[in-house]
Structure formats: C-alpha cells, structure tokens
Amino acid sequence: MKKSIFYHAGCPVCVSAEQDIIGLIGEANVEVVNIGEDRARIGEAETAGIQSVPALVTPNGNVLHINFGASLADVKG
Amino acid sequence: MKKSIFYHAGCPVCVSAEQDIIGLIGEANVEVVNIGEDRARIGEAETAGIQSVPALVTPNGNVLHINFGASLADVKG
C-alpha cells in the first residue's frame, strides 16, 4: 500500500497528533515530514492542498487537516 | 484493541473524512456515530472534548479534529 504522508512543523499540537496517527495507522504506513526543518518540501505540501499543519495526506491524495498547529503561511514566514 | 470513535453530522466534509479514516485504520477499528441523527450522544461527544465534527477520538481518549464540517454548537442548534 502507498504510504500516507504526515506533514508537521514541530509544534506541540503537531507532535501530539503525530503520535496519535502513528498509533492508529502504524509507523510503517506513514512518512513523517517536518516542513519546519525540511523546507524544500513546503511546495510539495502546498501542491497537495495543505493549508495548515499538522495534516495527513492519504494514499489516494486526500488531505486531512488535523487539529490546528500552524498555518502554512506561518511556517513559510 | 479499544475502538476509535468517529463523530460526524452527515455533512459532505464528514462523509469524505469518514471514508478516509475507514480506509486508513479499518472499519473494524472505528465506531461511527452520527450525532446529527443520534442526538443522545452529543453530550458524550462534548465530554470527550469535541468542538467540531468530523472528529476522531482515539482509543487513548485524544481528540483529533479533522478538517471542518460543523461546530458542535451548530449541530446542537
């Protein structure tokens, strides 16, 4: 199965959501990307339709925005 | 494993998120509750800490608010 991708920016809300998502779907099924550190992937997150982090992109490309840590504009700024 | 509980109110955003969540964690691992119809469970959702639907309560009791369909106040109103 194609992996989901979990985008976050290291914020406390993000870390908590990351642990929940990994607990639910399994570490092997999700790639975790910190766009606060790995800034080269911010564009990829935008293209996927992400407006805020934490967010999960499912294997079929749907975006699930989870709780609210930071807007993508804030991460970029 | 204790099941997660997915609360929704039948809104289009909710239905889409429900399909994604079921696809990710498996139908057997999640109880789906429509608090728009099953209004007796609105109080339970509030007690769990839910502020808007769709939302997923994990087996350890954390609330993941997913995207945004409707505030609980709107569902109650």
Side-chain angles (χ1 to χ4, degrees):
Chain A
M1 191 175 87
K2 206 177 154 195
K3 280 191 184 188
S4 299
I5 308 179
F6 180 83
Y7 292 94
H8 72 102
C11 50
V13 169
C14 297
V15 172
S16 170
E18 178 186 338
Q19 291 172 337
D20 289 327
I21 291 295
I22 287 176
L24 287 169
I25 69 178
E27 195 161 8
N29 298 317
V30 57
E31 177 188 4
V32 176
V33 178
N34 183 340
I35 57 171
E37 294 175 348
D38 194 353
R39 303 185 66 82
R41 297 190 67 174
I42 291 177
E44 164 196 314
E46 283 183 307
T47 302
I50 288 175
Q51 295 172 21
S52 63
V53 285
L56 186 74
V57 179
T58 68
N60 59 11
N62 288 348
V63 177
L64 298 177
H65 292 100
I66 299 167
N67 293 339
F68 186 84
S71 70
L72 220 60
D74 286 339
V75 177
K76 292 167 73 179
Chain B
M1 191 175 88
K2 206 178 153 193
K3 280 192 183 188
S4 300
I5 307 178
F6 180 83
Y7 292 94
H8 72 102
C11 51
V13 168
C14 296
V15 172
S16 171
E18 178 186 337
Q19 291 171 339
D20 289 329
I21 291 294
I22 287 176
L24 287 169
I25 69 178
E27 195 162 8
N29 297 317
V30 58
E31 177 187 3
V32 176
V33 178
N34 182 341
I35 57 171
E37 294 175 349
D38 194 353
R39 303 184 67 84
R41 296 189 68 173
I42 291 177
E44 164 196 314
E46 284 183 307
T47 302
I50 288 175
Q51 294 171 22
S52 64
V53 285
L56 186 74
V57 179
T58 69
N60 59 13
N62 288 347
V63 177
L64 299 177
H65 291 98
I66 299 167
N67 295 339
F68 186 84
S71 71
L72 220 60
D74 286 339
V75 177
K76 291 167 74 180

